[in-house]
Amino acid sequence: MYRWKRPAQMAPWPVFLGLLCCGGSTTISLSTYKTTCTTAGDCVPIHTGDVCGCACPNGAINSADEERYTADFNQARNQCGSVPVCTTLCVAPQVACTAGACALGK
């Protein structure tokens, strides 16, 4: 005989399943993108870390991964819940190719 469980006993599963299908990370990790380069022209500035807030560039990747980065950034930003308000002026940094790796210039 099937015994119906009270909603209070079942509550964690719908919440857990909802997080699996609808939740997502709001963090971008530099390690998931190509960072090798030959010249500074191979590199573009990006933001890494939590995207829910000011997302000023703080890293650089190879431009070959720029389209994927942009898609990942937009997906992460959509998880923030509300449009982040940034009161900081982001300055477009110079990029450099240092020892074969994209980096922000000084």
Side-chain angles (χ1 to χ4, degrees):
M1 173 189 236
Y2 180 78
R3 184 174 175 188
W4 178 253
K5 293 183 179 184
R6 291 178 294 164
Q9 292 172 317
M10 296 171 51
W13 284 107
V15 171
F16 176 71
L17 293 174
L19 289 173
L20 283 178
C21 76
C22 304
S25 176
T26 61
T27 301
I28 299 285
S29 175
L30 184 65
S31 66
T32 61
Y33 303 97
K34 180 179 178 183
T35 58
T36 58
C37 57
T38 305
T39 69
D42 296 336
C43 305
V44 293
I46 63 161
H47 173 77
T48 60
D50 191 5
V51 301
C52 295
C54 293
C56 296
N58 59 4
I61 61 170
N62 188 293
S63 60
D65 270 357
E66 185 175 18
E67 188 174 318
R68 183 169 66 90
Y69 168 81
T70 300
D72 292 347
F73 179 89
N74 290 335
Q75 183 178 10
R77 190 72 157 217
N78 287 336
Q79 300 298 318
C80 294
S82 62
V83 177
V85 176
C86 184
T87 58
T88 302
L89 178 62
C90 293
V91 177
Q94 295 284 330
V95 291
C97 180
T98 306
C102 293
L104 294 184
K106 294 187 172 118

